[in-house]
Amino acid sequence: MGTGYVGLVAGTCFADTGNEVTCVDIDEAKIDGLKKGKVPIYEPGLSDMVKRNVKEDRLHFTTDIKQAIEKSEIIFIAVGTPPSEDGSADLKHVLAVAKSIGENINGYKVVVDKSTVPVGTAEKVEAEIKKHTDEKFAVVSNPEFLKEGAAIDDFLRPDRVVIGAEDEQAMAMMTNLYRPFVRSGQPIITMDRRSAELTKYAANALLATKISFINDIANLCDAIGADVEMVRNGIGTDSRIGSKFIYPGTGYGGSCFPKDVKALIQTANDFNCSLRIVQAVEDVNEHQKTILMDKIERYFNGDLRGKTFAMWGLAFKPKTDDMREAPAVSMIDSLIAKGAKVNAHDPEALNEAGELLRDRLDNGLALFEKRYDALEQADALIVMTEWNTFREPDFFLIKETLMSPAIFDGRNIYQPERIKKMGIDYFSIGRPAV
Ligand code: NAD
């Protein structure tokens, strides 16, 4: 139930291990497209895998909720849980699915909360289903840890699988379902449902903490003339710390970290606990979104009116077309608000940008299929996403095309001295200007 990033990837991977899977969605256009072999998201390897499993008749797509529920033994709830106004996770889609399950259930089912949901949601889903039926069922929590951009690989070879269940039959069915994915010895960690629900938020909050921490250190580096890339290498080689998730930048974005950090803070508030570190993580992230803009404004003496900026990268990270809470969006809005224009390019997110930023098009924002075309008439280049194809561009062409020429690199993908030698002014995050 829910054929988005998580539902489609999970459904396809379960089909690939021999299960019969029906992916359900209320979005008719999405389901129609999938029936014709059109995968609505960019995720490496997904399209081929969907086609193979459809061809072999294990993977089906439908908007017929009733029929899908009736023929399934295990029902995954993988709908969105966006933030409500107070930051807490909005459960309206999850509970709508629970209601449909209650209305159509026709025998014992395992209902799995795959969406990221606050502690206590399994009980709420259970209560909602019970309102509509006397049939037996079990609700289990099975949070998802896949990363967009590497979702198939993460799902097929997870570091671990977390299952929160109090029902023995349900736990056995879930363990059997996941056995093919943990053949290399990764653990299936079983626990109570509340702990499983909290595990997902704790994982995302800790990852977000690493990002905000290094961003804080990067800003200190800027202030004191140190180089955060040196510091990052210096600390990342310590096996207790690790090199992952300590890359400075323009703040974390995406469909998960911002909302999950907010929702965890709200859960803590509800239980009269204060999560001081997690709150600081969020505050640092909000501040971090302004750092590159400050550098741009300083370079242009505070006046961006009539300036045009080429922007490379719109997706919140490489290898995805997802732009939910992407730092590029707040950067585009800030630039337009200051009277500038933005010529943006992304290798995969242009369709998404066309939809999400429709009201900014012809209102300061233009989208370009080719990265160098975005440079025409631009004063400077801003790099917002570290796509591989941006790492080794033709710097001569960049210099010739840009009016100023300057590069503002929000992902530290270039070497400051090399760019400077080319006669391009270069600004990045937490590295001294050369
Ligand atoms: P998404 O927005 O890509 O997909 C959600 C889908 O659910 C949409 O296609 C929507 O039309 C559908 N839907 C909504 N209401 C429905 C209903 N009543 N019946 C059937 N379908 C319905 O969301 P996503 O990124 O896949 O995230 C889903 C959940 O998984 C969220 O809770 C998210 O936090 C969590 N999660 C996401 C990721 C990720 O990387 N995207 C990773 C781990 C966990």
Side-chain angles (χ1 to χ4, degrees), residues 115-169:
S115 298
T116 301
V117 288
V119 172
T121 301
E123 282 104 316
K124 286 187 185 156
V125 167
E126 200 166 84
E128 182 61 37
I129 298 173
K130 269 194 186 141
K131 272 194 217 163
H132 307 279
T133 186
D134 294 327
E135 293 282 0
K136 291 227 170 329
F137 64 93
V139 177
V140 311
S141 165
N142 169 222
E144 180 50 55
F145 299 97
L146 64 77
K147 300 183 289 295
E148 286 175 22
I152 296 281
D153 208 45
D154 286 346
F155 201 91
L156 295 178
R157 282 170 285 277
D159 287 340
R160 79 316 205 173
V161 173
V162 169
I163 303 172
E166 271 104 60
D167 178 293
E168 262 180 45
Q169 185 179 351

Side-chain angles (χ1 to χ4, degrees), residues 2 4-6 25 30 79 81 115-116 144 148 256 259 324:
Y5 283 87
V6 169
D25 210 287
K30 189 182 261 191
V79 295
T81 46
S115 298
T116 301
E144 180 50 55
E148 286 175 22
C256 290
K259 84 173 169 57
R324 289 178 282 187

Side-chain angles (χ1 to χ4, degrees), residues 5-145:
Y5 283 87
V6 169
L8 183 58
V9 169
T12 306
C13 291
F14 285 137
D16 211 52
T17 50
N19 296 286
E20 174 92 8
V21 179
T22 308
C23 287
V24 187
D25 210 287
I26 48 171
D27 183 337
E28 288 187 12
K30 189 182 261 191
I31 293 298
D32 276 351
L34 279 161
K35 281 181 175 167
K36 291 177 192 139
K38 225 178 92 196
V39 172
I41 51 171
Y42 173 72
E43 187 59 52
L46 180 60
S47 193
D48 286 348
M49 209 172 175
V50 167
K51 282 189 190 119
R52 185 170 70 244
N53 283 281
V54 167
K55 195 169 154 229
E56 290 168 14
D57 213 24
R58 287 186 299 269
L59 182 60
H60 312 275
F61 301 101
T62 187
T63 51
D64 187 339
I65 292 174
K66 179 178 165 59
Q67 196 201 31
I69 291 171
E70 284 177 354
K71 74 172 188 185
S72 302
E73 295 162 80
I74 304 181
I75 302 167
F76 282 84
I77 303 178
V79 295
T81 46
S84 325
E85 250 171 44
D86 64 359
S88 64
D90 185 344
L91 291 179
K92 68 170 182 279
H93 301 303
V94 170
L95 294 175
V97 172
K99 182 168 180 269
S100 305
I101 295 172
E103 286 168 348
N104 295 294
I105 191 169
N106 60 337
Y108 180 80
K109 312 272 178 194
V110 177
V111 177
V112 186
D113 284 341
K114 183 57 127 177
S115 298
T116 301
V117 288
V119 172
T121 301
E123 282 104 316
K124 286 187 185 156
V125 167
E126 200 166 84
E128 182 61 37
I129 298 173
K130 269 194 186 141
K131 272 194 217 163
H132 307 279
T133 186
D134 294 327
E135 293 282 0
K136 291 227 170 329
F137 64 93
V139 177
V140 311
S141 165
N142 169 222
E144 180 50 55
F145 299 97

Side-chain angles (χ1 to χ4, degrees), residues 286-297:
E286 282 309 305
H287 176 63
Q288 196 64 23
K289 291 181 191 166
T290 67
I291 297 291
L292 199 61
M293 183 68 186
D294 289 348
K295 293 186 188 210
I296 295 169
E297 284 198 274

Side-chain angles (χ1 to χ4, degrees), residues 149-316:
I152 296 281
D153 208 45
D154 286 346
F155 201 91
L156 295 178
R157 282 170 285 277
D159 287 340
R160 79 316 205 173
V161 173
V162 169
I163 303 172
E166 271 104 60
D167 178 293
E168 262 180 45
Q169 185 179 351
M171 187 64 99
M173 286 168 73
M174 291 297 287
T175 309
N176 286 337
L177 181 67
Y178 273 108
R179 194 164 289 119
F181 301 97
V182 294
R183 295 191 314 278
S184 313
Q186 308 97 310
I188 294 181
I189 305 172
T190 59
M191 57 183 80
D192 64 276
R193 297 186 302 193
R194 292 193 153 225
S195 301
E197 289 166 339
L198 186 55
T199 297
K200 173 65 191 176
Y201 284 101
N204 274 0
L206 187 52
L207 292 169
T209 303
K210 288 184 91 172
I211 297 173
S212 277
F213 177 82
I214 200 71
N215 280 335
D216 246 357
I217 295 293
N219 298 337
L220 181 61
C221 285
D222 260 345
I224 63 182
D227 183 339
V228 72
E229 292 302 322
M230 301 293 160
V231 178
R232 182 174 66 74
N233 277 325
I235 62 173
T237 39
D238 185 327
S239 60
R240 294 169 303 176
I241 296 169
S243 57
K244 292 181 181 163
F245 268 84
I246 49 169
Y247 288 84
T250 49
Y252 58 74
S255 65
C256 290
F257 287 179
K259 84 173 169 57
D260 293 350
V261 165
K262 285 187 182 74
L264 184 59
I265 292 168
Q266 200 51 43
T267 297
N269 287 345
D270 292 345
F271 288 87
N272 287 325
C273 279
S274 78
L275 289 178
R276 285 161 294 185
I277 291 177
V278 183
Q279 182 62 61
V281 166
E282 215 211 338
D283 297 343
V284 169
N285 199 56
E286 282 309 305
H287 176 63
Q288 196 64 23
K289 291 181 191 166
T290 67
I291 297 291
L292 199 61
M293 183 68 186
D294 289 348
K295 293 186 188 210
I296 295 169
E297 284 198 274
R298 268 201 302 279
Y299 184 77
F300 289 101
N301 298 318
D303 187 6
L304 302 186
R305 282 172 303 172
K307 300 271 181 266
T308 298
F309 292 90
M311 181 177 286
W312 283 2
L314 292 166
F316 84 96

